[in-house]
Amino acid sequence: MDAEGTEVKVKRVSSRKRTRESLRTHLTPASKRGGGGGGGGGGDTWSQQCPQNWRLSSIMADIQAAEFCSDSEDLFGDYDSILEDSSLLAKLDDAEQTERQRDVRPSAADQPNFTSLRPQKDVVCEDVLTASILDGLGDEAFEDLPPSQRQFQEQVYENVKRSRLDGDKTSTPVRDADRTAEAGTVIKMEDKTKRPARRSVADQLKRTMVCNAASPSSVSRTVVLKEAVVTEEISVAMQAMETVSAETTDLGPFFGLPSRVKDLMYKLRGITSLYDWQQTCLNLDCVQQRKNLIYSLPTSGGKTLVAEILVLRELLCRKKDCLFILPYISLVQEKVRGLASFGLELDFMVEEYAGSKGKFPPVKRRNQTSLYIATIEKAHSLVNSLIETSRIDNLGLVVVDELHMLGDGSRGAVIEMTLAKVLYMSKTTQIVGMSATLGNIRDLQTFLKAENYTNDFRPVQLKEYVKLKDTIYEVDPKEEECFRFSRLLNFKYSSSMQKIDPDHIIALVTEVIPTHSCLVFCPTKKNCENVAGMICRYLKEDFLQHRRDEKDVLLRELKDSGNGSVCPVLRRTVPYGLAYHHSGLTSEERKLVEEAYSNGVLCLLTCTSTLAAGINLPARRVILRSPYVATDFLKRSQYKQMVGRAGRAGIDTEGESVLILQDKDRDMAKSLVCAPMENCYSNLMHDDGKGLLSLLLSLIGLNITTSLDQIREFLCGTLLHVQQTQLCVEQSLWEVVQRCVGLLKDKDLITVTSDSHGQTLQVTKLGKATYKGSVDLTCSDLLYNDLSKGLDGLLLNSCLHLVYLVTPYDMISQCNPDWMLFFRQFTLLSAAEQKMSAAVGVPESFVARKAAGQTVKKSMNMEVVRRMYLALVLFTLLKETNLWIVADKFQLSRGFVQSLLSSSSAFCSCVLHFTEELEEFWPFKALLTELTRRLSYCVKAELIPLMEVAGVMESRAKQLYNAGYKTPTHLANADPAVLSKTIENLYKKQADQIVASAKMLLNEKAAALQEEVDELLMVPVDLPAPSRTQLLT
């Protein structure tokens, strides 16, 4: 349209569709980008403005939800256009007026009335203004518009086409009144007001935009945003896929993961970038090709993050399940809490396998992948169940933390069994092991067919010292004596202080606390408590004022966790910012102490060596009170684990460890701090080959091997085979295997049949129950006999009999009954309960005689007596649900009672699986299912649902219940910010984890129910087809 030299072009730009140029600038490789302007073109400007990991969602997150405008509202505020420029519509108005004046001018004199603007019947007169503008839009399709807007545009175009076909009509739609005028009716001046005024192009354009904005969308804004994010991530992924091999699945720029994962790492962990070694490790060829890997670094080097990225890559990119194996229940629970948020955001399940938790086989999910986080023992049972159900190939990755624990007794044997089965049964499952530096790492590489990556990186420099008398020496392996003089201790000791603290622990700790944190490792539990009390005695009053309010809250929480009772040692030490940490604490006390130390409320912990192997609690200075654990001299691996806690990444610039020595230990300490790392050896032969017996039984039971030749083939893939020259000295490995098969046969766990093809090995019902229940082979027949006797006269009006049957055999040796207490509690039992006790072999007369100090002539099975005593402790605990009261009644440490409860719940779960395989024990299935649940939590019934949520202990469950959060559903729908304000001393981060864990728990339960529904509604694949005759009839 030309008018007075002014040209107006209208171009429609869709907000839902990027131009090709914008796509080219951020998705196309630099070499293929076009556009003028050379090096300073728009493409370069875009690349400078946008980071490499560009994400649509990062932009969309800041866009406010659109508000609809009514017809009466001005869409653009004070401006006439979305460009905040009044010139466009003004130009349209001017151009329209000019065109009108030019068309009207010839007939204005002759036709003073408004009908002169109407064309005559014979004359074809298009509205040049409107048509030319629509022509300017061209025949371009509106495929990128929402349905509602597309329909509006199609209506406008239909009207335009209709007007062009009928020459007697204008191109602008008119109403019925205009059609009357066309028929010859003269429009009077008074009728003019009844006709709506013709809209200007500016008004029409503006009205169109308002209608478009106000039209409802058939798709929700959330869905649109999600689609946009996914589209963007796929675009990035397609680029990445061009540069990687067809075997490698790569979904994005963050080590093969979508940039969404990188955002979550920052949001949930505060991680902005990876260490150089982590990037190198993740980019190794063996990692890209999914080969097995062992990587070794010092403690606190950031090993776990690499494993988590590999896990996420397997879950999200390859859509395979993963297994993460950790050594302790506390670590499993911590990891479940930490990864639950990732699971919710990235749509995968996080399942806990620890203690009595875990389903065998796991729920089979069609639309989601699962991350199983398990202890060593539960991981073995999980792998067995996957092999049995032919689902082991669904397991894409197995991660083993503390892989060097392969050399740690019976638990090491279980790790070896688990990994050997995975290697043998699945050629597609990748194994990644995190290990301390080992002297014979090549043996482990051969066993796992793995590459090895080693680095000595530490985020914080560690300086190691030893103290002899009042002199500090720095550890230096280059020195002939291994020690180099550093300084003298500068602390004045009185004679009384010197007697109480001859090792100068007070001098060493007061150099760092309360400004910095400190860990003091002690050889025994009792020594932990004594050292904490001794330090408090000589600290200044200033320590009492440091974070006083928070320490008061901690004491209140400790009191709540003990139902009104507080440990007298903690009551005295916590006000000074000190506490002790060992297995004598309840799990809730340990958790409170750990959280307080992590948050800086406590500045010093006296602890045993188990803390070093458990949860990560770093410190500025680590002090080793003695080079002994109980009466055993420290191993180098233990020493390295303890001193590795020194130095907190992001807080300290350096960390330091001090080993306190006596003169007699000087020579042994040299080898401790300067010798090379120890070797790791297979433990399948440990304890008279107990591990090898268990392995052979499960291999035969799972039908992995059914002959001696197949057993030989399988054992070639074990660490024991790699190290047989060192470990099988007296007998060859083959001779050992034959002896073990004979033992299994003698115990009636397997049968051996011979035919022309050789010997065939098969598992018996008892053997199958033994390996599926993870029951120790040495007590499987004992358990069977106890359960059989129990069926004869099972006491059902009390749970005492059931509790006795699930009291762990391995705890009996730790029990030394107090006979007077035993008799006192025995007399409180009902007549039926006393009769049941006599039936198992502990009559009242025996307990009374022992309590009176009389000699008992009749020989008694003392293991049964001790087991009954422990069962009485558990029975009282289930009734009282107060651990402190029960510990006091039986004069036991609360830590021991806690340990007994945890072991019993785990063993109860094992016995349940044992009885499920034996038809004669069918009554136990329902009974033990409920007992397992009660032993797992041991709280009032209304708190159990809350305690199913990872990270919620009894005292926290009480707080939540009293605040109105009575179920996991309440927690899953809670606002973390409100929750942290409502519940005393609940930090925002903890609230986030609790809410995420509750959501994950509900998702897991809902998914399990949905799987059951799908299974019920699915048409069976083996449904018999109708015969031909039936079809004809």
Side-chain angles (χ1 to χ4, degrees):
M1 179 184 73
D2 294 302
E4 299 180 354
T6 303
E7 181 177 357
V8 178
K9 292 183 180 179
V10 179
K11 181 179 180 182
R12 189 186 78 258
V13 179
S14 171
S15 62
R16 289 169 58 93
K17 185 174 181 181
R18 292 190 300 274
T19 63
R20 293 177 180 238
E21 290 75 9
S22 67
L23 281 170
R24 192 182 297 266
T25 52
H26 72 277
L27 289 178
T28 310
S31 60
K32 295 185 181 181
R33 289 178 193 161
D44 288 339
T45 305
W46 177 265
S47 64
Q48 289 172 5
Q49 290 174 344
C50 293
Q52 186 176 0
N53 297 337
W54 188 84
R55 288 198 328 110
L56 188 62
S57 60
S58 63
I59 296 172
M60 289 191 167
D62 298 325
I63 298 176
Q64 298 296 322
E67 295 181 2
F68 298 135
C69 300
S70 67
D71 285 343
S72 61
E73 290 178 307
D74 191 349
L75 183 64
F76 304 116
D78 294 333
Y79 296 97
D80 288 329
S81 79
I82 200 168
L83 305 174
E84 298 189 353
D85 179 9
S86 302
S87 61
L88 176 64
L89 296 183
K91 288 175 184 176
L92 280 173
D93 284 337
D94 291 343
E96 184 182 24
Q97 292 300 326
T98 303
E99 290 289 339
R100 262 193 202 139
Q101 289 169 10
R102 190 169 60 187
D103 290 343
V104 171
R105 219 172 269 135
S107 57
D110 302 323
Q111 306 269 350
N113 58 29
F114 285 96
T115 57
S116 64
L117 295 178
R118 298 294 309 237
Q120 299 298 320
K121 241 180 170 182
D122 312 355
V123 181
V124 177
C125 179
E126 287 188 7
D127 190 330
V128 179
L129 174 68
T130 310
S132 61
I133 288 180
L134 292 171
D135 286 338
L137 291 173
D139 293 326
E140 190 177 338
F142 290 97
E143 68 271 13
D144 55 76
L145 289 176
S148 58
Q149 297 185 30
R150 192 185 309 150
Q151 183 181 4
F152 182 88
Q153 292 294 342
E154 287 171 353
Q155 288 174 352
V156 173
Y157 267 82
E158 191 64 33
N159 291 334
V160 171
K161 287 179 181 177
R162 197 180 298 121
S163 67
R164 285 180 177 177
L165 288 173
D166 300 328
D168 59 335
K169 298 179 183 179
T170 64
S171 61
T172 306
V174 293
R175 301 186 179 237
D176 291 342
D178 299 320
R179 293 196 185 99
T180 305
E182 287 180 33
T185 305
V186 178
I187 300 176
K188 298 179 181 179
M189 290 297 292
E190 57 268 20
D191 294 332
K192 182 179 75 171
T193 56
K194 296 180 182 179
R195 275 183 60 197
R198 167 178 167 149
R199 292 179 184 271
S200 69
V201 174
D203 288 341
Q204 191 169 342
L205 182 62
K206 198 167 181 180
R207 180 171 174 272
T208 301
M209 289 182 175
V210 170
C211 290
N212 286 347
S215 63
S217 173
S218 60
V219 183
S220 71
R221 178 177 175 81
T222 305
V223 171
V224 172
L225 290 178
K226 284 186 176 179
E227 288 177 354
V229 172
V230 171
T231 303
E232 185 60 35
E233 297 287 7
I234 291 174
S235 300
V236 176
M238 292 302 293
Q239 260 195 303
M241 288 294 285
E242 294 174 4
T243 61
V244 298
S245 67
E247 298 175 359
T248 306
T249 307
D250 194 335
L251 282 188
F254 184 63
F255 301 102
L257 286 164
S259 52
R260 172 69 174 149
V261 177
K262 185 177 181 181
D263 295 341
L264 286 173
M265 284 290 178
Y266 174 71
K267 176 184 173 183
L268 300 175
R269 301 274 184 83
I271 296 172
T272 55
S273 61
L274 271 63
Y275 296 129
D276 290 343
W277 83 263
Q278 291 171 328
Q279 297 186 41
T280 302
C281 186
L282 287 167
N283 288 313
L284 290 172
D285 288 341
C286 63
V287 173
Q288 300 300 325
Q289 296 164 15
R290 295 189 69 255
K291 293 181 180 178
N292 295 346
L293 173 70
I294 302 170
Y295 61 103
S296 308
L297 277 97
T299 303
S300 304
K303 295 192 291 287
T304 306
L305 180 59
V306 170
E308 288 176 350
I309 290 173
L310 293 176
V311 164
L312 292 174
R313 196 151 74 181
E314 198 71 23
L315 291 165
L316 303 180
C317 302
R318 298 191 72 247
K319 299 297 181 184
K320 293 286 187 178
D321 298 333
C322 296
L323 172 59
F324 206 127
I325 305 175
L326 294 158
Y328 303 109
I329 293 176
S330 60
L331 293 180
V332 169
Q333 293 171 339
E334 182 189 24
K335 187 63 66 182
V336 168
R337 291 196 302 271
L339 290 176
S341 298
F342 285 91
L344 290 171
E345 295 282 352
L346 301 171
D347 195 30
F348 63 85
M349 301 302 297
V350 179
E351 301 184 38
E352 179 182 343
Y353 281 78
S356 59
K357 291 188 177 180
K359 183 175 176 60
F360 303 105
V363 175
K364 189 175 182 180
R365 308 186 192 283
R366 293 183 180 85
N367 302 318
Q368 275 186 315
T369 49
S370 293
L371 169 57
Y372 311 115
I373 304 178
T375 56
I376 293 168
E377 293 76 15
K378 287 289 183 178
H380 184 226
S381 298
L382 181 65
V383 167
N384 283 345
S385 69
L386 291 174
I387 292 172
E388 187 177 28
T389 54
S390 302
R391 290 167 52 190
I392 191 66
D393 286 334
N394 292 336
L395 193 63
L397 174 65
V398 176
V399 175
V400 187
D401 194 11
E402 313 289 357
L403 183 64
H404 53 269
M405 287 185 71
L406 273 165
D408 186 17
S410 59
R411 303 195 83 203
V414 176
I415 298 174
E416 185 174 348
M417 286 188 268
T418 305
L419 297 180
K421 287 174 184 174
V422 172
L423 286 166
Y424 189 81
M425 294 301 296
S426 175
K427 305 305 177 188
T428 59
T429 303
Q430 183 186 16
I431 296 175
V432 174
M434 297 175 275
S435 171
T437 307
L438 295 171
N440 63 340
I441 195 74
R442 287 192 177 277
D443 286 355
L444 271 64
Q445 283 182 255
T446 305
F447 163 45
L448 295 176
K449 304 177 182 62
E451 303 286 332
N452 181 40
Y453 176 79
T454 305
N455 198 304
D456 59 358
F457 170 81
R458 275 187 58 90
V460 178
Q461 184 185 1
L462 172 64
K463 291 185 177 179
E464 296 178 42
Y465 299 94
V466 297
K467 188 192 83 69
L468 275 164
K469 297 181 180 176
D470 59 351
T471 307
I472 305 291
Y473 298 90
E474 186 173 356
V475 174
D476 186 356
K478 296 176 184 178
E479 291 284 327
E480 185 178 347
E481 292 293 313
C482 279
F483 306 137
R484 185 177 67 246
F485 174 80
S486 176
R487 63 186 176 91
L488 292 172
L489 271 178
N490 184 22
F491 192 89
K492 293 181 180 178
Y493 269 78
S494 64
S495 57
S496 60
M497 277 184 69
Q498 186 68 38
K499 290 178 182 178
I500 293 172
D501 182 24
D503 294 325
H504 307 102
I505 295 174
I506 295 171
L508 290 170
V509 301
T510 50
E511 289 178 345
V512 290
I513 64 170
T515 310
H516 300 288
S517 58
C518 183
L519 293 175
V520 181
F521 285 101
C522 303
T524 65
K525 290 187 284 189
K526 190 63 180 174
N527 193 236
C528 288
E529 299 176 31
N530 292 340
V531 169
M534 181 264 294
I535 295 172
C536 287
R537 192 184 304 179
Y538 291 99
L539 289 179
K540 296 178 180 177
E541 294 294 319
D542 298 346
F543 282 82
L544 293 171
Q545 304 305 319
H546 185 70
R547 303 186 74 161
R548 183 169 187 165
D549 293 342
E550 291 162 285
K551 288 185 285 194
D552 288 343
V553 172
L554 174 59
L555 280 172
R556 284 202 301 275
E557 289 202 316
L558 287 168
K559 188 175 182 179
D560 291 340
S561 72
N563 291 297
S565 304
V566 182
C567 169
V569 177
L570 291 177
R571 190 189 295 117
R572 189 167 80 252
T573 61
V574 166
Y576 287 92
L578 278 64
Y580 67 89
H581 184 289
H582 58 60
S583 60
L585 293 172
T586 66
S587 55
E588 193 154 1
E589 285 175 320
R590 280 201 300 273
K591 189 169 184 288
L592 288 171
V593 167
E594 288 163 0
E595 288 176 354
Y597 178 81
S598 298
N599 295 320
V601 178
L602 298 176
C603 58
L604 183 144
L605 294 182
T606 58
C607 49
T608 52
S609 59
T610 52
L611 182 137
I615 191 169
N616 185 23
L617 295 175
R620 172 63 175 270
R621 176 176 289 180
V622 169
I623 299 170
L624 278 68
R625 170 76 175 75
S626 164
Y628 291 88
V629 173
T631 57
D632 298 324
F633 200 81
L634 276 177
K635 297 178 183 177
R636 179 160 170 77
S637 58
Q638 289 175 313
Y639 169 77
K640 280 294 183 183
Q641 208 164 37
M642 291 180 190
V643 301
R645 295 300 181 202
R648 297 165 298 171
I651 301 174
D652 298 325
T653 54
E654 65 177 28
E656 54 192 29
S657 66
V658 181
L659 171 61
I660 298 174
L661 294 176
Q662 308 301 324
D663 285 329
K664 65 182 178 66
D665 298 321
R666 182 170 185 145
D667 292 335
M668 292 179 69
K670 287 179 186 178
S671 61
L672 177 66
V673 299
C674 298
M677 291 302 293
E678 296 134 343
N679 293 331
C680 174
Y681 292 106
S682 169
N683 273 269
L684 287 179
M685 301 288 288
H686 175 73
D687 199 6
D688 294 328
K690 203 183 275 188
L692 186 58
L693 280 167
S694 295
L695 174 60
L696 296 180
L697 177 62
S698 62
L699 291 178
I700 298 166
L702 293 166
N703 287 320
I704 297 174
T705 59
T706 56
S707 68
L708 288 171
D709 288 338
Q710 289 177 339
I711 288 176
R712 187 201 297 265
E713 180 189 351
F714 181 92
L715 290 177
C716 287
T718 61
L719 181 60
L720 176 60
H721 182 267
V722 175
Q723 299 173 334
Q724 61 179 321
T725 53
Q726 298 108 299
L727 300 177
C728 301
V729 179
E730 296 178 0
Q731 285 182 304
S732 69
L733 180 55
W734 182 240
E735 290 172 334
V736 172
V737 169
Q738 290 178 315
R739 180 176 61 84
C740 288
V741 170
L743 283 172
L744 292 174
K745 183 182 177 183
D746 293 341
K747 283 180 170 286
D748 196 29
L749 298 173
I750 64 169
T751 60
V752 181
T753 56
S754 300
D755 55 26
S756 57
H757 301 289
Q759 291 183 327
T760 302
L761 309 176
Q762 286 185 310
V763 71
T764 62
K765 288 184 177 181
L766 178 60
K768 188 175 183 181
T770 300
Y771 86 79
K772 291 198 77 170
S774 301
V775 176
D776 193 324
L777 296 184
T778 58
C779 61
S780 62
D781 53 348
L782 179 60
L783 176 62
Y784 183 87
N785 291 332
D786 284 343
L787 291 171
S788 299
K789 288 178 184 176
L791 279 180
D792 293 339
L794 188 61
L795 180 67
L796 291 178
N797 63 356
S798 166
C799 65
L800 178 60
H801 199 168
L802 285 174
V803 168
Y804 172 79
L805 292 172
V806 300
T807 300
Y809 294 106
D810 58 2
M811 294 288 288
I812 294 173
S813 59
Q814 303 175 42
C815 173
N816 189 19
D818 182 316
W819 296 110
M820 186 57 71
L821 288 173
F822 196 171
F823 180 69
R824 192 179 300 146
Q825 294 301 319
F826 196 94
T827 56
L828 298 176
L829 298 177
S830 67
E833 289 165 345
Q834 290 183 9
K835 185 179 178 181
M836 167 260 146
S837 178
V840 299
V842 188
E844 182 185 10
S845 58
F846 170 77
V847 180
R849 283 179 175 275
K850 293 294 285 185
Q854 298 176 5
T855 305
V856 180
K857 295 179 181 179
K858 186 179 178 181
S859 63
M860 296 290 294
N861 186 339
M862 290 306 296
E863 290 207 344
V864 172
V865 175
R866 292 193 186 97
R867 194 177 185 213
M868 188 65 209
Y869 185 74
L870 292 177
L872 206 53
V873 175
L874 288 169
F875 177 64
T876 309
L877 187 58
L878 286 176
K879 289 197 301 183
E880 296 279 356
T881 70
N882 188 324
L883 195 144
W884 281 77
I885 293 174
V886 174
D888 187 55
K889 274 185 180 179
F890 288 88
Q891 295 296 295
L892 298 169
S893 74
R894 61 193 184 282
F896 176 80
V897 177
Q898 175 84 67
S899 177
L900 174 63
L901 183 64
S902 301
S903 298
S904 299
S905 66
F907 186 61
C908 187
S909 177
C910 292
V911 176
L912 173 61
H913 294 303
F914 181 89
T915 57
E916 285 174 339
E917 300 301 321
L918 297 165
E919 292 178 6
E920 60 267 37
F921 294 143
W922 64 268
F924 285 115
K925 183 175 180 180
L927 296 170
L928 294 179
T929 300
E930 180 57 29
L931 183 62
T932 302
R933 180 177 163 91
R934 290 186 64 188
L935 287 170
S936 297
Y937 303 107
C938 196
V939 294
K940 291 181 180 178
E942 64 265 22
L943 299 180
I944 289 179
L946 289 173
M947 291 187 67
E948 289 179 345
V949 178
V952 176
M953 309 296 281
E954 184 181 359
S955 62
R956 184 72 76 204
K958 288 178 181 176
Q959 286 180 305
L960 293 167
Y961 189 88
N962 292 334
Y965 300 97
K966 299 185 178 183
T967 65
T969 308
H970 286 118
L971 289 178
N973 291 283
D975 182 345
V978 174
L979 195 64
S980 63
K981 291 176 182 176
T982 306
I983 307 301
E984 187 179 22
N985 203 33
L986 180 66
Y987 296 98
K988 176 65 164 55
K989 183 179 178 181
Q990 295 170 321
D992 287 333
Q993 289 183 338
I994 287 175
V995 171
S997 297
K999 287 179 179 178
M1000 182 59 68
L1001 177 66
L1002 292 185
N1003 285 353
E1004 188 177 336
K1005 289 185 175 183
L1009 292 172
Q1010 186 60 51
E1011 291 293 334
E1012 286 187 34
V1013 171
D1014 293 344
E1015 198 74 31
L1016 288 171
L1017 299 179
M1018 184 183 295
V1019 178
V1021 292
D1022 57 349
L1023 183 69
S1027 65
R1028 195 167 184 179
T1029 307
Q1030 290 172 324
L1031 288 173
L1032 291 173
T1033 57

